[in-house]
Amino acid sequence: MAQKSGLFALGSNGSGQLGIGHKDDVSIPTKVSLPDEVDLGPPTIIAAGGNHTILLYPTGAVFASGANDDSRCGLLSGKGSSVTFQRVRIQTNKEPIYSFKLCSATWEASTLVTYDNQVYTMGTGHKGELGQGYNVVQAIKPQRITGFPPPGLDIIDLASCVGHTVAILSNGEAYGWGAGRKGQIGEPTVAVWRPRMISSPDFGVVRAVCGREFTHLVGSSYGGRHTILGSDKWKVNSAAVDDVFGWKAIGASWGSIFVLLPDGSLRSWGRNDHGQLAPVDIPLLDHVVIGSEHAVAKSQDGRVLAWGWGEHGNCGLRAAHSTEDWNILFNDIGSPELLAVGAGCATSWIWLGSSKR
């Protein structure tokens, strides 16, 4: 990969979700096409559905690429897929909305949260993924979820996986909607068509991550309390650690959970049939992000490491730069610097630039 600044992507790209101008999978980090609107810096959130990607930047700007037949990307440019990232704007009866603080994606839908805590969903969801009410299975333009959150409360975190979404509120409560048959959004275990409070935690929740059929709710790092709701397939619940005291980052794949600790060590448990869990001898890490069945990490010595299920090239070219258990996607030698990494549904992301901004 040539050392140029900007966002680079690799992996699954059948609908143009990498935003690199075509629909072919790539196994080498490839420059992403972004509009030259402002000097954005690295995205703060990369949210990935089955065939679309949402990028949220520190300015509040959101860009989307990939499948848009049902407007799951929220794009105004019409139907079909977009092979480059375009700015997302929500048209309302008043002024258009250009800025957001949170975003997430289920398989065929997206959720955006504004700075004043309005929640908008768009796309398709047959089990309540849109949160718009009973049997509302498609929103061909962004629709606001009315009456949520409760008055006076902020949404501080948002997470989704294939079929469900969880929002964390400023009072420590968690709400969920979407597929719930496995108990991933609490009781009763049914599809939830509007945001419903999850009553299980007996601690203040500050972070949520979602697997395919489970939800991991986490309290403050100094308390270390956590709970896992939903299916115990792959022993994601029964093999869990007692506490996550001091956690620095939390992530989940479809079937595994990952906890990065302050010393750079990584704990993980759950599904490992494609090497998804943390390799035994992995170097100490600065940061880690978790995709559908793979992980991408920035090591403390400035490398991008990838491991897990890489069938679409999302873990790079195994033969080119490999150790026994992980690939090296990038070495931070010279300039520009490695600033951020991301992971989605069989997609991986690297941001190169300068920290002197």
Side-chain angles (χ1 to χ4, degrees):
M1 178 178 64
Q3 292 189 359
K4 300 177 181 179
S5 62
L7 184 63
F8 294 79
L10 63 160
S12 179
N13 194 40
S15 295
Q17 59 265 46
L18 295 183
I20 56 177
H22 58 75
K23 295 183 180 180
D24 297 325
D25 292 2
V26 294
S27 54
I28 297 173
T30 303
K31 185 71 176 290
V32 171
S33 175
L34 289 169
D36 293 327
E37 296 192 23
V38 289
D39 185 12
L40 295 170
T44 54
I45 297 176
I46 299 176
N51 294 286
H52 72 292
T53 306
I54 308 290
L55 306 178
L56 173 64
Y57 284 86
T59 60
V62 167
F63 295 85
S65 187
N68 193 49
D69 293 334
D70 52 5
S71 298
R72 72 190 69 173
C73 286
L75 300 177
L76 304 177
S77 58
K79 303 296 182 180
S81 297
S82 173
V83 297
T84 59
F85 281 96
Q86 300 178 48
R87 182 78 179 264
V88 176
R89 301 169 175 85
I90 293 180
Q91 298 292 336
T92 69
N93 292 331
K94 299 179 181 179
E95 295 294 322
I97 301 173
Y98 294 90
S99 297
F100 306 88
K101 66 175 182 177
L102 294 167
C103 68
S104 68
T106 56
W107 190 255
E108 295 179 309
S110 303
T111 301
L112 300 175
V113 180
T114 67
Y115 283 96
D116 60 354
N117 298 293
Q118 297 180 52
V119 182
Y120 287 85
T121 58
M122 61 217 77
T124 301
H126 295 283
K127 297 180 180 179
E129 294 94 326
L130 297 174
Q132 298 289 343
Y134 181 68
N135 264 358
V136 178
V137 298
Q138 193 168 78
I140 59 173
K141 63 179 181 178
Q143 297 290 328
R144 184 181 175 185
I145 299 179
T146 59
F148 180 76
L153 295 177
D154 294 329
I155 299 174
I156 64 170
D157 195 27
L158 186 73
S160 297
C161 195
V162 173
H164 72 291
T165 296
V166 173
I168 307 304
L169 304 187
S170 52
N171 64 353
E173 293 177 347
Y175 281 71
W177 59 93
R181 190 171 63 88
K182 299 294 184 178
Q184 58 265 54
I185 44 181
E187 300 287 340
T189 56
V190 295
V192 179
W193 295 89
R194 282 188 54 81
R196 184 185 73 185
M197 188 170 72
I198 299 172
S199 59
S200 297
D202 58 355
F203 58 88
V205 181
V206 301
R207 180 87 170 96
V209 293
C210 297
R212 184 164 189 157
E213 295 180 341
F214 67 87
T215 300
H216 188 202
L217 301 176
V218 183
S220 65
S221 61
Y222 56 82
R225 301 187 66 183
H226 70 138
T227 190
I228 301 163
L229 308 176
S231 171
D232 193 35
K233 189 176 183 180
W234 310 108
K235 296 184 178 181
V236 73
N237 198 337
S238 57
V241 297
D242 292 334
D243 65 75
V244 291
F245 181 79
W247 65 269
K248 180 180 179 182
I250 303 283
S253 67
W254 285 359
S256 312
I257 292 175
F258 300 76
V259 180
L260 180 64
L261 298 176
D263 64 357
S265 61
L266 183 63
R267 304 171 79 174
S268 61
W269 63 93
R271 185 176 183 180
N272 198 38
D273 56 336
H274 291 278
Q276 294 96 318
L277 298 185
V280 174
D281 297 323
I282 193 168
L284 295 178
L285 306 176
D286 273 340
H287 188 52
V288 65
V289 286
I290 310 302
S292 51
E293 292 292 3
H294 76 295
V296 181
K298 177 185 177 183
S299 66
Q300 291 185 355
D301 59 3
R303 293 176 290 169
V304 177
L305 312 178
W307 66 90
W309 199 352
E311 63 172 335
H312 290 282
N314 44 295
C315 291
L317 290 169
R318 183 78 178 171
H321 298 288
S322 67
T323 65
E324 183 178 353
D325 295 309
W326 63 83
N327 265 1
I328 299 173
L329 298 183
F330 175 73
N331 275 297
D332 187 12
I333 301 173
S335 181
E337 299 174 56
L338 165 63
L339 296 184
V341 293
C345 189
T347 60
S348 300
W349 309 80
I350 303 170
W351 180 274
L352 302 180
S354 173
S355 58
K356 298 176 181 178
R357 303 180 62 84

